[in-house]
Amino acid sequence: PLRYLHMTEIPSDDIWQKFGCADLVDADIWFSDLEQLTLVYQTKGADRSPIMNSDIGVQIHLPQLRQLSVENCPADSPLLRAKTSSMLKYVHITDRSGRIEPAAMATNRIFGASCKAKATSLTLGISSQLPNAEYANWSQLRKLSVFAETPSDTVISLIKKLPNLVELVMSSIVIRGWIHGMLENASTISTSIKMVYYGDIFAPVAEETTTFLKYLLLAIPSLSEFAFSEKHLEMLHTRNFLP
């Protein structure tokens, strides 16, 4: 029986025709023994257009699946609505295509309240963007990594909707005008975040960067590990926020 399936450079999402019947209208495709599935799709090209999917009516069944890893999955892929079981323990989704906002609604099915996996992670590449918080329902997401420039208010709004997030990795944050007065109004965010890693933080003035970092330390009391560049650490020392 097929237990492990690893495919790369997938040109489109009609690969399911290879596993089912020729007529895929309302088709059920079963992988009864599959335990580990890894798929890497090609991106369409420089325009970042979604790959057209011809498998809209397909229902995929993965009753024994334990690990799922998918990169650049089309937002309308039947894989994102596949039927799994409580045996699924690890889910990792990566998007480098730049089409994350429609995909965000699709990944709600994976990272939402019905998710039973204990290790869940989402990685957005440099061409991708975080969706507005209203699009994302990732209540069971444990790790989020973003390698694109992201506005500071988008980061905070999304954190507030991720109660089970444990680790947050951000390569670049752009501070926006909401910073002023935020420390006086700082309230605790209901989240499980223990680890935060930041790269560059861009702000019109250095004081805004320091204010943003202070806010995170005050608003996320669950933090046990907070890492960022040496220059930002020096600013916190200089302003007597850290010993």
Side-chain angles (χ1 to χ4, degrees), residues 11-63:
S12 66
D13 205 43
D14 60 4
I15 61 168
W16 306 111
Q17 294 177 358
K18 309 298 189 298
F19 300 98
C21 57
D23 181 8
L24 287 176
V25 178
D26 298 324
D28 284 277
I29 299 178
W30 286 81
F31 294 87
S32 300
D33 300 292
L34 195 66
E35 298 178 7
Q36 184 173 328
L37 176 60
T38 301
L39 301 177
V40 180
Y41 290 89
Q42 296 176 349
T43 55
K44 183 65 175 178
D47 62 354
R48 306 298 181 187
S49 300
I51 299 172
M52 295 305 292
N53 176 23
S54 61
D55 294 338
I56 301 300
V58 172
Q59 178 63 65
I60 300 171
H61 300 264
L62 301 161

Side-chain angles (χ1 to χ4, degrees), residues 146-168:
V146 182
F147 295 95
E149 287 190 1
T150 306
S152 52
D153 51 346
T154 300
V155 174
I156 299 302
S157 296
L158 196 57
I159 287 176
K160 292 178 178 179
K161 293 194 64 178
L162 305 177
N164 290 298
L165 192 69
V166 174
E167 183 175 345
L168 176 64

Side-chain angles (χ1 to χ4, degrees), residues 56-158:
I56 301 300
V58 172
Q59 178 63 65
I60 300 171
H61 300 264
L62 301 161
Q64 300 295 320
L65 194 67
R66 289 170 168 79
Q67 296 186 33
L68 173 64
S69 180
V70 187
E71 183 169 332
N72 301 325
C73 188
D76 55 358
S77 170
L79 183 62
L80 295 178
R81 60 176 186 275
K83 291 187 176 181
T84 59
S85 72
S86 59
M87 298 184 70
L88 183 61
K89 302 300 183 185
Y90 173 88
V91 179
H92 179 61
I93 306 295
T94 300
D95 187 277
R96 307 181 195 280
S97 67
R99 55 176 185 267
I100 186 59
E101 204 149 286
M105 290 179 281
T107 53
N108 286 343
R109 304 185 189 100
I110 293 180
F111 299 128
S114 61
C115 176
K116 305 302 182 189
K118 297 302 181 183
T120 54
S121 64
L122 173 64
T123 299
L124 304 182
I126 196 169
S127 298
S128 300
Q129 299 291 331
L130 271 177
N132 292 329
E134 63 184 284
Y135 290 104
N137 180 21
W138 301 331
S139 60
Q140 300 305 310
L141 185 63
R142 301 306 202 272
K143 179 179 180 180
L144 175 62
S145 303
V146 182
F147 295 95
E149 287 190 1
T150 306
S152 52
D153 51 346
T154 300
V155 174
I156 299 302
S157 296
L158 196 57

Side-chain angles (χ1 to χ4, degrees), residues 173-176 179 201-210 212 232:
I173 294 178
V174 180
I175 304 297
R176 300 212 290 202
I179 284 292
I201 300 179
F202 302 99
V205 295
E207 183 66 32
E208 292 188 351
T209 297
T210 307
F212 178 71
H232 300 315

